[in-house]
Every structure is written in C-alpha cells, then in structure tokens.
Amino acid sequence: AQSVTQPDIHITVSEGASLELRCNYSYGATPYLFWYVQSPGQGLQLLLKYFSGDTLVQGIKGFEAEFKRSQSSFNLRKPSVHWSDAAEYFCAVVSGGGSYIPTFGRGTSLIVHP
Amino acid sequence: EAGVTQFPSHSVIEKGQTVTLRCDPISGHDNLYWYRRVMGKEIKFLLHFVKESKQDESGMPNNRFLAERTGGTYSTLKVQPAELEDSGVYFCASSQVSEHNEQFFGPGTRLTVL
C-alpha cells in the first residue's frame, strides 16, 4: 500500500527566509504527486502536481517541488517566505490505475515570524 | 465560478445525536469525494461518488455513516448516532472525469462530538 511521510509536524521560519518542506512516499511505480495548502478557514488548495516529465515542477505562489525517484521524495521549496504563507501543507500521492484516490501525509504546519 | 461549498462550517453535538453534513460540488463535476481528518492525523478517504452512484466506499468507518447523493448534485453525510471518535474535520472534494482527476476541495466541516 502506498504511504506518505511528512516528517516535520511544525516548521518555523522568518519572513524572507527560504523554506523546504519534506515529503517521502512509498509506492512501487511512478506515482502522481501533489502538494496542497490549507489556510485557516479555507479548503485545500492545490499548489503543484507532478505526473511525468521534468522533475522540477513550478506551482502557484512561488512554490516549486522536485521529484527525486532515487530518494522517493517530493520536497516543496520556496526561496523567500511571506507572512501569508503561514498555513498547513499536505503532500499527497496518487497511484493512478483508474482510482485516483490520494493518500495524504499528516501535514506540516508552517509558522512565519516577522 | 463557485468552488466546493460545505455546510455547516462547524458542528458541536453530543454523543448519540445525529448530524448531517452537506457538500455542494462545483457545477458539472461528476466525481464527489468525502474525506476526514482526525486531529493531527492524515486526511483519510471515506468514499467516492460518480454522479449519484457510490463508486468506492471502502473508507467508510462503519455503518453509523451514511452518504447520499440524490440526483447527482449535492451530497450529504449523516452520522447516526455520533460517537466521540467521529470528531474531526470532514472535507468534500469534486472533480471532472479526466485522466488525472484533479480534485477541488471545500473548506471542511469541523465536527466536535462531546
């Protein structure tokens, strides 16, 4: 069965600092990978996704993620964090094959200090 | 275009009572999904509708949970009778029928069972 690990429950960064949120997955074939963000009172918003092709994917709000097959990772990065990025971030994997039901990680809560 | 909406945003009930959650998907989306997140844990899949039919209900915890989608539009999720462990945030998502099935999530309903 597929699984997703987000090892950091909370991350605290200063505004303007760089950010990397870790995500590791367990799945036999090449998965479809997603990062979602949930701001307070909002639904999950898709930041970016990887299906195939270029392993560095660009998303909205200045985020990017890199798929590394050898490490089974799909870490999310942003070069300069803004206070409005404070939210909870979820990594998800979909196995494809017609099901398309995502398996989510536990989420990482990002705190941004001014 | 309106996104996925959920009602109510919060619900506090006592153990043994009944609660009904509602989800209105994006217009034209045949796929509708219910998920649940228990405090601090992963977002877990509950079930999937295609139009009015249940495609996959493998994630439903037990027979106290009943989901319906009459007419293939909005969906309800009823919990009867509610137990303490049912507390959490219930998310709804919808998608079009497509190869990669990008899902759009609602803001969730926070259910607290006392």
Side-chain angles (χ1 to χ4, degrees):
Chain A
Q2 60 202 33
S3 66
V4 177
T5 301
Q6 292 181 248
D8 303 305
I9 297 174
H10 301 281
I11 291 251
T12 301
V13 299
S14 297
E15 191 169 16
S18 63
L19 172 69
E20 182 169 35
L21 302 183
R22 295 183 290 166
C23 173
N24 292 92
Y25 66 90
S26 172
Y27 178 63
T30 300
Y32 300 149
L33 295 158
F34 303 81
W35 274 100
Y36 289 89
V37 60
Q38 186 185 20
S39 299
Q42 306 294 316
L44 275 74
Q45 182 183 21
L46 181 66
L47 280 176
L48 46 77
K49 58 194 174 190
Y50 171 79
F51 294 145
S52 64
D54 192 346
T55 56
L56 183 64
V57 293
Q58 303 297 320
I60 62 171
K61 305 185 179 187
F63 285 92
E64 66 177 28
E66 186 171 12
F67 170 55
K68 292 185 177 180
R69 185 190 303 277
S70 61
Q71 298 177 20
S72 296
S73 70
F74 189 57
N75 294 348
L76 182 71
R77 301 193 293 249
K78 185 168 184 178
S80 178
V81 170
H82 188 262
W83 64 266
S84 60
D85 294 324
E88 192 152 23
Y89 292 79
F90 295 91
C91 182
V93 60
V94 169
S95 60
S99 171
Y100 301 111
I101 303 298
T103 297
F104 287 90
R106 295 178 70 164
T108 297
S109 180
L110 175 64
I111 300 164
V112 180
H113 281 315
Chain B
E1 178 183 313
V4 177
T5 57
Q6 293 186 244
F7 182 83
S9 56
H10 294 84
S11 181
V12 181
I13 61 172
E14 294 192 348
K15 175 182 172 180
Q17 289 186 320
T18 297
V19 62
T20 300
L21 313 180
R22 173 171 169 143
C23 168
D24 286 78
I26 293 171
S27 178
H29 282 194
D30 287 341
N31 291 306
L32 187 148
Y33 306 81
W34 283 100
Y35 297 85
R36 176 174 74 175
R37 187 186 189 204
V38 173
M39 177 76 74
K41 304 223 170 172
E42 299 90 346
I43 299 169
K44 295 278 196 182
F45 165 77
L46 296 179
L47 90 160
H48 169 208
F49 284 99
V50 177
K51 296 185 180 178
E52 67 274 9
S53 299
K54 291 176 185 174
Q55 183 76 12
D56 181 352
E57 52 185 329
S58 61
M60 294 287 264
N62 51 62
N63 59 11
R64 295 185 293 103
F65 289 75
L66 175 64
E68 295 181 323
R69 191 183 183 194
T70 307
T73 55
Y74 71 90
S75 174
T76 58
L77 180 65
K78 181 191 289 188
V79 185
Q80 179 183 31
E83 299 289 343
L84 300 180
E85 64 265 25
D86 301 333
S87 295
V89 180
Y90 290 77
F91 291 101
C92 176
S94 71
S95 71
Q96 294 177 314
V97 176
S98 66
E99 180 182 356
H100 298 125
N101 190 34
E102 178 178 339
Q103 298 183 26
F104 296 84
F105 284 78
T109 293
R110 181 173 296 277
L111 173 65
T112 302
V113 183
L114 302 176

